[in-house]
Amino acid sequence: MDKIIIRDLLAHGILGVNSEERDQTQDILINLVLFADTKLAAKTDDIADCINYSTLAKKVKAFAENRQRFTVEALANDIAELCLADERVQRVQVRVEKPEAISFTSTVGIEIQRSR
């Protein structure tokens, strides 16, 4: 399988269980690796045969900014399902991080993999 990589997608949304996390948006950092067969897209050189990175990134960003989940686990799983909705995606690796969520760390988060 080939890999399509979207790195360091920054969203601003409600994510967390504490009251201050529910009151205002915070940075959410998202990384995706989508596993798909890209041979047809390489052969035709046609965007219609590609997984459109820009469209997918915008969809994931809007989703993360509007979902208002309590846990990074739930948001990561939701994003994985969103990516797998494209039949060409066979497997996805999703990392969701909350920068500066815990003192003395740059980021905390989760990384999951889901398959068809």
Side-chain angles (χ1 to χ4, degrees), residues 60-80:
V60 169
K61 178 177 170 47
F63 185 87
E65 290 180 340
N66 292 296
R67 193 65 178 165
Q68 298 192 12
R69 296 298 253 161
F70 288 100
T71 65
V72 291
E73 290 84 354
L75 181 59
N77 192 73
D78 292 346
I79 292 170

Side-chain angles (χ1 to χ4, degrees), residues 3 10 19 29 32 47 55 57 62 79 82 85 101 107 111:
K3 295 179 186 179
L10 183 61
S19 60
L29 193 58
L32 304 171
I47 190 68
T55 301
I79 292 170
L82 179 71
T107 185
E111 185 170 283

Side-chain angles (χ1 to χ4, degrees), residues 30-96:
I30 302 165
N31 285 274
L32 304 171
V33 179
L34 299 100
F35 296 83
D37 185 346
T38 64
K39 283 185 229 127
L40 178 61
K43 183 178 181 179
T44 65
D45 198 23
D46 186 341
I47 190 68
D49 295 326
C50 296
I51 296 171
N52 189 309
Y53 318 140
S54 178
T55 301
L56 180 63
K58 289 175 186 175
K59 190 183 291 187
V60 169
K61 178 177 170 47
F63 185 87
E65 290 180 340
N66 292 296
R67 193 65 178 165
Q68 298 192 12
R69 296 298 253 161
F70 288 100
T71 65
V72 291
E73 290 84 354
L75 181 59
N77 192 73
D78 292 346
I79 292 170
E81 289 177 0
L82 179 71
C83 293
L84 289 169
D86 186 323
E87 295 175 0
R88 297 169 292 188
V89 178
Q90 296 302 306
R91 183 166 50 113
V92 64
Q93 184 176 320
V94 178
R95 184 170 63 220
V96 174

Side-chain angles (χ1 to χ4, degrees), residues 4-31:
I4 297 162
I5 300 165
I6 298 176
R7 212 176 259 143
D8 296 337
L9 176 63
L10 183 61
H12 304 282
I14 302 294
L15 179 61
V17 296
N18 299 323
S19 60
E20 62 273 5
E21 294 174 311
R22 307 301 300 166
D23 290 338
Q24 59 185 356
T25 62
Q26 60 186 296
D27 290 348
I28 302 168
L29 193 58
I30 302 165
N31 285 274

